[in-house]
Amino acid sequence: MKKTLFGFENKRDSGLFLLCWIAYTSTYICRLNFSAIIPELTSGNIMSESRIATISSIFFICYGMGQLFSGIIGDRLNTRIMVFSGVLVSSVCNILIFFFHSYESLLVLWALNGIVQSLVWTPILKIASVEYDPASRDKFGINMATTVPIGTVLSYALSLVTLLFLPWNYVFLVCGTVVGAAAIIWFAGTGKLKLRKHQKAVKEESKKSIGAAAILKICFTSGVVLMLIPIMVQGTLKDSVTQWTPEFFSSQFGSSTTFSLAMTMVLPIVNVTGAFIAKRVNKKINNELKTSVLFFMIAVGFLALLRLFAGKSAILSLVCMAGVTNCMFAINVMLITMVPLRFSKQGIVSTVGGILNATAYIGCAATNMVAGKILDNTGSWNTLFVFWIALGVVAAAVSLVASFIWKKNRD
């Protein structure tokens, strides 16, 4: 049978994937734009690193806590409306920051941005679990992984172009407007597709509704509970490294904000390959956790090299950072996307996805605040790199232990 765009069997599957891809990609545009303007805030003495870390962390905390809630309701409610609400209100939050950008305003609006963005990912996972057959479902998961690097590139590109001509608060206006358009595309497009299978599955699962005790038992026996530690670490290394990269180049090499952003954009471009590399590696290993162990150890090696090159070579530092984020992106695909989809038979894809994603972002929030304190109190990037290396080693060890439990219980 001839495959359509994105490798699916029919146009409807391709169209639905594209709409999901647009919706989730757009969330990164209105998420990483804050990271893009950090050098502007610090160089202009507008805000300290610890305050910046607090704003960033409040997003991760709210996003993470929201994932727990959206994961549960995503298995039971209308996901089309959930995704639309999340994308649209995120757009509004960013546009409001253009007008109200004091520290207090940023803190409140960025927290709300985190809450509403949490309504997007787990419902999309739920759609994938019921609208696609198992083979197409895996393809959906791998292809969706490209949303992160491409969304990152788009966020930094829009921010960079805006900063070339306008003050930093205009970044939020531009990004918010683009994401508002994405919300409209999602709502109009999914209205025409009519997610019949999904709505039927939601009604059926609402009736049988697996209880909290049963979900907890599944999480323990499958190894999901142990996975929370490596998931927390990959969230830290994936998002913290990306967030602090513009500031790193600005402080260590005296780069301008726009040049630092241009350098940072290399990371997600490289990271596009991470999902497909992880897929090939896991095809041979056939265990998402053991695949994660391999990538954690490679990342630790890159972090060790980064300690040597920091402040000495911008190019080699960038190569090492790209290596770290590429590895974390590969792990993210394994643990945040592929693992939840293994629970399709139990009807708890959205719930498990919410738990795992919540852990990633809550962990990132906590460690990101530590990163801000390290830079504020010591000014030492070297200390921060040692902290990240220690996290990577711990995550690799726990992933190895969890891999044996997961092997016995995965579908």
Side-chain angles (χ1 to χ4, degrees):
M1 183 181 290
K2 184 179 179 181
K3 293 186 182 296
T4 60
L5 191 62
F6 310 118
F8 294 104
E9 298 291 347
N10 57 71
K11 290 183 179 180
R12 183 181 184 279
D13 285 356
S14 295
L16 180 55
F17 167 77
L18 180 60
L19 290 169
C20 290
W21 190 93
I22 290 171
Y24 194 63
T25 298
S26 74
T27 64
Y28 275 83
I29 294 174
C30 273
R31 180 186 309 181
L32 295 177
N33 52 348
F34 178 75
S35 173
I37 55 95
I38 286 177
E40 292 290 300
L41 299 179
T42 55
S43 63
N45 293 318
I46 298 171
M47 215 171 284
S48 67
E49 277 92 347
S50 59
R51 279 195 163 191
I52 289 169
T54 300
I55 293 171
S56 174
S57 295
I58 201 69
F59 172 91
F60 292 135
I61 291 170
C62 291
Y63 184 85
M65 294 300 292
Q67 286 289 330
L68 294 173
F69 175 71
S70 68
I72 294 169
I73 65 174
D75 278 321
R76 295 165 175 81
L77 299 183
N78 188 317
T79 54
R80 176 178 176 244
I81 300 302
M82 285 179 65
V83 173
F84 173 68
S85 301
V87 177
L88 181 65
V89 180
S90 177
S91 164
V92 172
C93 287
N94 275 257
I95 292 172
L96 286 175
I97 289 174
F98 168 74
F99 298 101
F100 310 101
H101 44 265
S102 66
Y103 169 68
E104 292 76 15
S105 298
L106 269 168
L107 197 63
V108 172
L109 288 170
W110 215 237
L112 180 57
N113 190 38
I115 292 170
V116 298
Q117 284 207 9
S118 72
L119 298 174
V120 180
W121 175 243
T122 51
I124 285 176
L125 276 181
K126 182 62 183 179
I127 289 172
S129 73
V130 297
E131 293 288 337
Y132 294 85
D133 57 51
S136 297
R137 195 180 300 144
D138 284 353
K139 187 186 275 62
F140 182 99
I142 295 296
N143 289 347
M144 276 298 291
T146 61
T147 58
V148 180
I150 294 176
T152 303
V153 169
L154 289 173
S155 184
Y156 283 144
L158 286 170
S159 301
L160 187 154
V161 172
T162 303
L163 288 172
L164 286 173
F165 304 101
L166 297 165
W168 64 267
N169 59 308
Y170 278 82
V171 167
F172 295 96
L173 177 63
V174 172
C175 291
T177 302
V178 171
V179 172
I184 294 170
I185 291 170
W186 165 266
F187 192 76
T190 50
K192 292 179 181 179
L193 285 176
K194 300 187 186 303
L195 309 180
R196 297 187 186 88
K197 291 181 184 177
H198 171 259
Q199 296 308 326
K200 182 180 178 182
V202 167
K203 289 178 182 178
E204 291 175 353
E205 285 161 18
S206 294
K207 291 176 182 177
K208 62 185 181 183
S209 191
I210 297 177
I215 292 172
L216 193 62
K217 182 179 179 181
I218 291 171
C219 288
F220 270 101
T221 57
S222 64
V224 165
V225 170
L226 273 179
M227 292 180 204
L228 300 183
I229 293 174
I231 283 172
M232 196 179 299
V233 173
Q234 71 80 28
T236 296
L237 296 181
K238 179 173 70 72
D239 292 311
S240 279
V241 171
T242 301
Q243 174 174 307
W244 290 104
T245 296
E247 176 64 9
F248 170 77
F249 283 107
S250 179
S251 64
Q252 294 295 293
F253 301 102
S255 306
S256 66
T257 300
T258 51
F259 181 78
S260 296
L261 284 177
M263 293 285 279
T264 306
M265 284 170 63
V266 173
L267 302 186
I269 292 171
V270 172
N271 290 349
V272 171
T273 64
F276 302 99
I277 293 172
K279 179 184 178 182
R280 290 199 171 192
V281 172
N282 194 56
K283 192 173 182 180
K284 294 183 178 181
I285 296 177
N286 196 32
N287 187 313
E288 289 83 357
L289 271 295
K290 284 189 177 179
T291 299
S292 298
V293 172
L294 175 62
F295 283 105
F296 269 125
M297 294 313 299
I298 295 172
V300 166
F302 276 117
L303 284 169
L305 289 173
L306 184 58
R307 284 191 63 204
L308 298 176
F309 301 134
K312 298 175 183 176
S313 170
I315 298 299
L316 291 176
S317 295
L318 184 64
V319 169
C320 291
M321 285 182 162
V324 172
T325 55
N326 190 270
C327 288
M328 292 307 107
F329 188 68
I331 295 168
N332 182 271
V333 173
M334 291 294 103
L335 303 185
I336 301 295
T337 303
M338 303 312 295
V339 166
L341 288 174
R342 301 296 180 201
F343 293 90
S344 294
K345 290 180 180 178
Q346 293 93 331
I348 55 171
V349 169
S350 181
T351 301
V352 173
I355 292 170
L356 300 185
N357 222 8
T359 302
Y361 281 95
I362 292 172
C364 183
T367 52
N368 198 48
M369 291 184 77
V370 172
K373 290 294 183 183
I374 289 173
L375 294 177
D376 244 6
N377 297 335
T378 69
S380 171
W381 287 93
N382 186 59
T383 304
L384 181 58
F385 297 150
V386 170
F387 174 62
W388 283 343
I389 287 170
L391 289 177
V393 171
V394 170
V398 175
S399 296
L400 184 60
V401 174
S403 68
F404 296 105
I405 303 172
W406 178 243
K407 184 179 180 180
K408 293 178 181 178
N409 292 277
R410 72 192 289 270
D411 286 348

